[in-house]
Amino acid sequence: MLPARPKIFHGRDTELKDIVEIICREPARIAILGAGGMGKTSLAKATLHHPDVVAKYHSCFFVASDSATTSVELAGLIGAHIGLKPGKDLTNPVVNYFSNGPACLLILDNLETIWEPLESRSKVEELLSVLTDIKHLALIITMRGAERPAKVHWTRPFLQPLRPLSNDAAWLAFVDIAEDFHNPEHIRQLLSLTDNLPLAVDLMAHLVDSEGCEPVLGRWETEKTSILSDGNDRRSNLDASITVSLSSPRMTSGAKDLLSLLAILPDGLSEIELLQSKLPINNVLRCKAILLATSLAYTDGKNRLKSLVPIREHMQCFYPAPQTLVHSLQKHFYLLLDLYKKHSGKEHEVGRVNQITSNLGNLHQVLLHGLCLNNPNLAETIYCTISLNSFSRTAGHRRHILMDHIPSVLSHTSDVELKVYFITEVLTTGIYQPGTDPEQLIAEGELYCCHVTDSVLQGEFSK
């Protein structure tokens, strides 16, 4: 019994075309890779039902491998699908069946469950190697992550790990489920929360079909990914799907810490920033490699390490970034802004401006995270926030919104220089919160200046 063809299938035409062309030209060995919920199984099913594949391979088998824990159990699952009698070890009978049979297509779905544990990996790879020695057997596997099992001569060119759907494809998938009479702007907002991850798009569309756009947007503000996690398995529960990836044997505590930090960094991090920020994570580049290998993170077109919105929201809810990590990154950004301020107009300014500009979203989130009374480094966070506003002002941007968060926490500090620094920046910007009296600000600044020893700051205030 083969699984049904996907009824809603958008955005994978190129990948489907490539697989079909290769597999109809020769009995190929193809690994469909990518993050959990990226549509790997749907692509495999679409391949299975493609007319050209059906015409070439009269014998096809689709085996869900996630219930197996050893290569022997995997051979037993395959044996059950091809009609062999149950036995203690069906490895040889399975190999003999395919060796003596006609041209055949075998799809092993969710193979990562059995391949990832080191204790079972070698035996699984040996079984795959023996199967792929059968010249007329075409093999497709689907696996979470970006690594292909060893001991197999995978057909080239390799199929690249699946990425999120294009905006157009995600829209089509959404309206196929929820119809297109909803407010287009609301649909765009909802799709931005899914980052076009196919599973998230599917679950979001079904929720909207039941409740409508505005109620779902309202629920997201407080419930986040949990609104897409009412199902009982990883195919119907977004949090469960992400948890499966996080529980990979390849994950380490350092990799999980790095992912928790990426969760509050919409701009991601470059490799240079990973090293320069001196994060308290052992072998941070190894941790980066683990996140890429498990597809919990990816590198964008600018080679910045990022994570998808649903994964970031899940991490913020269940594994928030430790304050030590956030503070290390904040110190890195503060130093960058400080160097920009001190050396403005000099030869290295362009490079620093570009680096700050590439991290504007990150700066906002990291500083917002730290503008709270329980932050032991609150004064440093406020200084950094004011420096960011100074950068925005001199770079021709608007006054930064985080300036509005400072007064409520500044009153709890005793740092008079910091208070003068803030008042000076507010007066220089010339944009005030409703109810703010500039004359009163000047009077407060003059009062604090009496206790300031920094002559440069005094001069800036006097301007």
Side-chain angles (χ1 to χ4, degrees), residues 18-19 21-31 57 132 135 137-140 148-149 152-160:
D18 291 343
I19 294 175
E21 284 183 355
I22 293 173
I23 213 164
C24 288
R25 185 171 64 243
E26 57 179 317
R29 292 87 173 88
I30 298 173
Y57 296 97
T132 53
K135 302 300 183 184
L137 174 64
L139 176 69
I140 296 176
R148 297 169 186 80
V152 174
H153 185 67
W154 298 103
T155 302
R156 296 172 183 265
F158 296 146
L159 185 72
Q160 293 303 304

Side-chain angles (χ1 to χ4, degrees), residues 380-398:
E380 187 177 61
T381 303
I382 296 174
Y383 270 112
C384 193
T385 305
I386 298 170
S387 295
L388 176 60
N389 188 76
S390 177
F391 169 81
S392 297
R393 173 170 48 79
T394 56
H397 303 305
R398 297 178 58 187

Side-chain angles (χ1 to χ4, degrees), residues 262 265 267-271 273-274 303-305 329 359 362:
L262 289 175
L265 302 177
D267 299 321
L269 290 171
S270 68
E271 189 162 304
E273 290 164 346
L274 276 175
N303 208 30
R304 296 179 69 85
L305 184 68
L329 197 60
N359 284 283
N362 292 344

Side-chain angles (χ1 to χ4, degrees), residues 2-9 12 15-16 19 31-49 62-66 107-113 140-144 159 162 198-199 233-235 241:
L2 295 176
R5 177 179 59 83
K7 300 301 186 294
I8 297 174
F9 187 75
R12 300 296 187 210
E15 292 89 346
L16 179 60
I19 294 175
I32 301 176
L33 307 174
M38 198 58 78
K40 302 179 295 294
T41 298
S42 293
L43 179 56
K45 291 177 180 178
T47 301
L48 183 67
H49 289 280
F62 186 99
V63 181
S65 309
D66 45 359
I107 298 177
L108 300 178
D109 190 38
N110 292 323
L111 193 66
E112 78 281 347
T113 305
I140 296 176
I141 67 167
T142 74
M143 279 183 46
R144 287 177 181 237
L159 185 72
L162 300 184
L199 174 61
D233 58 43
R234 58 184 177 182
R235 291 186 179 87
S241 177

